[in-house]
């Protein structure tokens, strides 16, 4: 088995790709929020917490329910999702649990790719021509890092992100959305809660 691993590594190096699996980049259209008010109104849950785990699930896009181990006849709406487990430290809007789970309809390049592939194969949605579909330029969250989250509860198994750019803000992050970032959102939400 180690010779197989070695041959895989040499192929990966030759292709100057970090992935052992076939990766296809996809783009998504998301609503974008230009004001603090519109962003905070779009989120059903606003909370702070630390990412404690990252795992993968097959979710039916229509119901938002996990279908990993169920036999599903119509596979049209089944997708691989990356799920972040968050230990909640502060809740500003809803988020009434000490652990929250946030899902994103994307694979994760360079992280447990064989697990992602095997999950798609078991759900009978794997296509060897496209492999793992990854949202182009999506910045994955890091285990052990803390963020301010803006998520949406659509009644599925997990919460969803409001969009790919405005769902997680680092306290010391320099990445801002328009004119607002972590501290502006936190101040806005605190003021809303006082009203």
């Amino acid at each position: 088995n180690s010779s197989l691993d070695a041959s895989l590594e040499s192929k990966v190096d030759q292709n100057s790709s970090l992935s052992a699996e076939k990766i296809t980049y996809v783009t998504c259209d998301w609503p974008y929020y230009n004001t603090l008010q519109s962003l905070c109104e779009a989120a059903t849950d606003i909370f702070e917490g630390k990412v404690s785990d990252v795992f993968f699930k097959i979710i039916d896009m229509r119901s938002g329910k996990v279908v990993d181990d169920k036999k599903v006849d119509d596979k049209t709406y089944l997708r691989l999702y990356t799920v972040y487990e968050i230990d909640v430290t502060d809740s500003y809007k809803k988020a009434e649990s000490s652990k929250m789970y946030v899902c994103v309809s994307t694979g994760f390049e360079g992280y447990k790719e064989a697990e992602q592939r095997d999950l798609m194969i078991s759900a009978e949605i794997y296509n060897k021509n496209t492999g793992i579909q990854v949202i182009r330029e999506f910045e994955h969250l890091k285990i052990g890092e803390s963020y301010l989250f803006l998520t949406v509860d659509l009644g599925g198994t997990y919460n969803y992100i409001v969009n790919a750019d405005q769902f997680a803000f680092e306290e010391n992050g320099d990445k801002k959305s328009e004119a607002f970032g972590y501290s502006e959102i936190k101040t806005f939400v605190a003021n809303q809660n006082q009203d």
Side-chain angles (χ1 to χ4, degrees):
N1 199 8
S2 62
S3 64
L4 177 63
D5 291 342
S7 69
L8 265 179
E9 282 174 20
S10 65
K11 281 182 185 152
V12 167
D13 291 341
Q14 289 166 359
N15 295 331
S16 72
S17 167
L18 300 171
S19 297
E21 302 294 329
K22 168 80 174 160
I23 301 290
T24 300
Y25 298 99
V26 296
T27 56
C28 295
D29 285 332
W30 305 86
Y32 191 84
Y33 303 98
N34 292 314
T35 67
L36 278 170
Q37 181 155 356
S38 64
L39 176 61
C40 293
E41 284 174 0
T44 59
D45 297 73
I46 301 174
F47 56 96
E48 279 187 275
K50 182 183 284 189
V51 178
S52 55
D53 196 12
V54 178
F55 56 92
F56 305 96
K57 292 289 180 185
I58 302 297
I59 296 177
D60 184 322
M61 292 169 46
R62 293 168 301 181
S63 67
K65 303 286 187 203
V66 172
V67 295
D68 281 357
D69 49 4
K70 298 171 186 68
K71 195 75 182 139
V72 178
D73 293 329
D74 182 2
K75 298 177 182 12
T76 310
Y77 298 98
L78 302 186
R79 295 286 182 279
L80 174 72
Y81 278 72
T82 297
V83 183
Y84 297 101
E85 178 184 82
I86 294 115
D87 293 332
V88 177
T89 53
D90 285 299
S91 175
Y92 305 107
K93 183 178 179 184
K94 207 174 152 224
E96 291 139 0
S97 175
S98 63
K99 278 201 186 291
M100 295 289 291
Y101 296 87
V102 179
C103 67
V104 186
S105 178
T106 184
F108 193 151
E109 184 177 9
Y111 182 75
K112 297 184 179 179
E113 291 177 349
E115 183 182 316
Q116 296 173 66
R117 180 201 61 222
D118 293 348
L119 194 57
M120 289 190 293
I121 289 170
S122 71
E124 300 174 358
I125 61 167
Y126 185 76
N127 177 331
K128 68 178 188 294
N129 296 320
T130 54
I132 300 169
Q133 293 191 337
V134 173
I135 296 175
R136 184 180 301 283
E137 297 178 9
F138 180 77
E139 286 188 36
H140 281 281
L141 307 180
K142 296 176 183 74
I143 292 176
E145 294 292 319
S146 295
Y147 303 88
L148 173 64
F149 293 92
L150 292 97
T151 66
V152 182
D153 181 355
L154 296 174
T157 306
Y158 307 117
N159 276 22
Y160 291 83
I161 61 176
V162 291
N163 66 34
D165 298 315
Q166 298 176 302
F167 80 99
F169 294 84
E170 290 180 84
E171 183 172 5
N172 300 319
D174 53 5
K175 189 175 161 201
K176 284 193 173 190
S177 170
E178 297 298 316
F180 50 88
Y182 172 92
S183 55
E184 292 85 357
I185 294 167
K186 197 166 168 177
T187 301
F188 180 83
V189 175
N191 291 338
Q192 293 293 104
N193 290 342
Q194 287 173 356
D195 295 344

